[in-house]
């Protein structure tokens, strides 16, 4: 079963490389249905890659569908650090998709769940995972700014300022961008 599943998933990879995304998805679904549970994370990863390709082609509904498949698989696996990171990353991507679909509430929910997981991982290895926290915060901040939720955007700015103090080279550019966004809002909103 495993060898057949891998062969089928490789066919999916060929279609993915040729940007025949629907065919690739079909082969990943078939492989997933016959793979032993211990290999399902590999198919979840392929769905994530497929989702990014759908995103790049502005096929947000298709991207949403495969990211949800990926999340379903990852959430059914053992809660290892790698799987938690994969869930958070997929939620982060799903937040981008929802933003592209103008579904900001769903986008904020996905980002918030990803942020929670990244923060949990940061407790284990701060240097390794703080960048994930920062990127997700910047995306959340942008959504709050679009929705004129300045109080929330300013909270995110203060968290970002703390991160910038810990590693100025990494966070300074984003901090300048966030300050610029907040300072360019109409004064009555602030």
């Amino acid at each position: 079963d495993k060898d057949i599943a891998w062969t089928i998933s490789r066919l999916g990879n060929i279609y993915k490389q040729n940007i025949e995304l629907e065919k690739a998805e079909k082969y990943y679904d078939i492989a997933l249905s016959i793979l032993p549970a211990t290999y399902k994370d590999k198919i979840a990863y392929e769905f994530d890659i497929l989702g990014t390709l759908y995103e790049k082609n502005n096929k947000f509904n298709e991207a949403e569908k495969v990211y949800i498949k990926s999340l379903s698989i990852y959430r059914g696996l053992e809660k290892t650090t790698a799987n938690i990171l994969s869930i958070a990353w997929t939620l982060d991507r799903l937040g981008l998709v929802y933003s592209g679909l103008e579904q900001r509430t769903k986008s904020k929910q996905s980002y918030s769940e990803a942020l929670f997981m990244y923060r949990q991982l940061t407790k284990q290895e701060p240097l390794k995972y703080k960048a994930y926290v920062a990127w997700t915060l910047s995306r959340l901040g942008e959504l709050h700014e679009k929705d004129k939720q300045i109080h929330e955007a300013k909270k995110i700015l203060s968290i970002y300022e703390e991160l910038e103090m810990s590693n100025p080279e990494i966070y300074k550019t984003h901090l300048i961008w966030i300050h610029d966004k907040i300072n360019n809002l109409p004064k009555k909103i602030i």
Side-chain angles (χ1 to χ4, degrees), residues 115 119 129-142 152-180 182:
L115 184 61
R119 283 183 168 151
Y129 297 110
K130 270 187 178 181
Y132 292 99
V133 169
W135 280 107
T136 305
L137 282 170
S138 70
R139 290 179 179 137
L140 262 174
E142 188 174 341
E152 292 298 317
K154 284 187 174 185
K155 276 201 280 188
I156 289 171
L157 174 64
S158 69
I159 294 168
Y160 224 89
E161 286 172 336
E162 290 174 25
L163 289 170
E164 195 259 344
M165 286 170 37
S166 70
N167 198 336
E169 291 176 23
I170 292 176
Y171 302 109
K172 187 171 186 141
T173 304
H174 284 95
L175 188 58
I176 291 168
W177 178 81
I178 292 169
H179 271 290
D180 185 54
I182 290 175

Side-chain angles (χ1 to χ4, degrees), residues 67-82:
Y67 284 141
I68 288 172
K69 284 182 187 182
S70 177
L71 277 174
S72 176
I73 295 166
Y74 283 131
R75 285 183 168 149
L77 299 174
E78 183 183 345
K79 301 296 180 237
T80 65
T81 299

